[in-house]
Amino acid sequence: MTQNFCCKIALAAISLALFSSCAINQSSMSDGYSFIYSAKEGDNRSLFLSDKYGRDRLKVIDLTNNDGYPSISPHGKTIAFYGKYDNNRTWSIHKVDLDGSNVIRLTNKRFVWDSAPSWSPDGSSIIFSREYKSASNQWQEEVWLMDENGNNQRQIHALKGRAASFLPDGKIIFQSNSKHSQLFIADIHGNNQVQLTDTNSSNRSPAVSPNGKYIAFLANRDGNQEVYVMSIDGSDQRRLTFNNIEDWDPAWSADSNYIYFISQNKSDFYDVFSIHRDGSSLIKMVNSGSQVNSVINLDTTQLSKLKEKQ
């Protein structure tokens, strides 16, 4: 009898532990934010964090004009984004703390378009695209790198293109500047380039999954820009979306299973969607949102400060 009683006590303890663990995990999930995006409120555009269902959101910062395209640092404390000046003729990279404070302008060159900021895996550097017309009126696309505080800005001369970002191993993926842009991977100096796509249509905006196994990208292989996915070596290229409107801005969920993207709507703006990397589970997450990007990690102190401001 004593043995049976002890067994019952042990089973109860195990059940309580499992229940507590589930409760903690559920609480953690319900408090989590899965992506960041921009949306207009009246005449203003703001950056928002959203949970994976698109239901719970936090406003990070109000922006001016059409600023945005946010990218959160690996340590989850800082957001890089671009802002526009000189009647939209100058685009500059900025950064802001996750709680919406301490906005700093990092690039200041006039009459160039600096955009698409992306962080190095250790958070020490930001890679970005620079576009402008040359003295001979030719459109230039360049890839630049700088320290996270804006110092040591330098062009990676071997990379001719834009939309560059880092892989988890520190290599760079980018789209080429060509009639039909293709996707390449290179080392940090732009050398040892490996071509991933080779089509008679453009391939754009590559986004590497957090686990480093997959690449989401855009392609207009049927005359309409759709979301595609492939393995990191360029194999198994598959189309995920089938629309009569254009898709943009692919970004990954933290578990590397889902891809967020935006798609045009009837109001000539965009909505945020999510789709599994196997092409299933297509869901609209947000009405009238754009410039979506991943949230892999958020600093708890900064997040608490942001929540206090709501």
Side-chain angles (χ1 to χ4, degrees):
M1 184 173 182
T2 303
Q3 185 177 5
N4 289 337
F5 178 78
C6 291
C7 289
K8 290 180 180 179
I9 293 294
L11 287 172
I14 293 173
S15 298
L16 180 60
L18 289 172
F19 175 82
S20 300
S21 175
C22 289
I24 291 172
N25 288 337
Q26 289 174 357
S27 174
S28 176
M29 288 175 65
S30 66
D31 290 340
Y33 293 90
S34 298
F35 58 92
I36 187 169
Y37 69 100
S38 74
K40 285 187 176 180
E41 292 189 330
D43 295 331
N44 296 322
R45 184 184 290 272
S46 303
L47 293 183
F48 294 92
L49 289 172
S50 174
D51 70 350
K52 65 178 181 179
Y53 304 106
R55 299 170 189 161
D56 180 25
R57 71 177 191 176
L58 291 175
K59 181 189 289 188
V60 178
I61 187 174
D62 287 320
L63 304 170
T64 59
N65 206 340
N66 287 314
D67 307 354
Y69 285 98
S71 175
I72 300 181
S73 63
H75 48 61
K77 296 181 179 180
T78 311
I79 301 169
F81 65 96
Y82 80 71
K84 298 180 180 180
Y85 301 87
D86 302 323
N87 293 319
N88 295 336
R89 292 180 296 169
T90 300
W91 300 4
S92 299
I93 306 299
H94 300 66
K95 70 174 184 177
V96 60
D97 290 346
L98 181 68
D99 67 356
S101 65
N102 196 29
V103 179
I104 301 174
R105 184 177 178 182
L106 301 178
T107 66
N108 294 273
K109 187 173 180 61
R110 296 190 71 191
F111 307 131
V112 301
W113 291 358
D114 291 344
S115 66
S118 181
W119 295 82
S120 62
D122 64 359
S124 65
S125 303
I126 298 173
I127 198 168
F128 63 96
S129 301
R130 173 166 290 178
E131 301 172 76
Y132 60 94
K133 281 190 176 181
S134 66
S136 59
N137 207 36
Q138 298 296 311
W139 192 250
Q140 305 296 307
E141 293 183 353
E142 300 172 352
V143 176
W144 284 66
L145 193 64
M146 62 181 167
D147 298 344
E148 60 86 21
N149 59 5
N151 293 339
N152 195 24
Q153 296 182 18
R154 67 273 193 194
Q155 181 185 353
I156 305 178
H157 291 279
L159 300 185
K160 307 298 181 183
R162 61 176 310 279
S165 61
F166 283 99
L167 278 67
D169 63 4
K171 292 181 180 178
I172 295 170
I173 189 168
F174 70 103
Q175 70 180 56
S176 65
N177 179 8
S178 53
K179 180 180 179 181
H180 298 302
S181 55
Q182 306 299 331
L183 304 182
F184 291 79
I185 288 177
D187 64 27
I188 189 65
H189 304 292
N191 301 321
N192 302 310
Q193 296 187 14
V194 177
Q195 185 168 346
L196 301 176
T197 60
D198 185 10
T199 63
N200 293 323
S201 58
S202 292
N203 303 270
R204 304 186 179 101
S205 303
V208 179
S209 60
N211 64 11
K213 294 183 178 180
Y214 310 103
I215 300 168
F217 63 102
L218 305 174
N220 60 350
R221 297 177 184 181
D222 66 348
N224 187 63
Q225 186 163 278
E226 307 281 357
V227 178
Y228 284 71
V229 69
M230 62 181 166
S231 297
I232 194 68
D233 62 358
S235 64
D236 193 23
Q237 298 184 20
R238 293 176 289 114
R239 178 178 168 181
L240 299 185
T241 61
F242 296 83
N243 300 320
N244 56 8
I245 49 181
E246 289 191 336
D247 300 324
W248 295 88
D249 303 342
W252 287 89
S253 62
D255 62 7
S256 299
N257 285 330
Y258 291 87
I259 298 166
Y260 305 114
F261 66 97
I262 65 171
S263 190
Q264 288 178 318
N265 57 32
K266 294 180 181 179
S267 302
D268 199 28
F269 196 60
Y270 300 91
D271 300 319
V272 179
F273 289 80
S274 171
I275 191 170
H276 194 276
R277 57 181 170 81
D278 66 6
S280 66
S281 305
L282 175 63
I283 301 173
K284 182 191 287 188
M285 312 299 291
V286 175
N287 287 314
S288 297
S290 64
Q291 303 176 340
V292 66
N293 212 335
S294 305
V295 172
I296 307 301
N297 178 50
L298 293 176
D299 180 79
T300 55
T301 300
Q302 287 286 326
L303 186 59
S304 295
K305 291 180 180 179
L306 180 62
K307 289 180 176 180
E308 291 173 359
K309 293 182 176 182
Q310 305 299 302

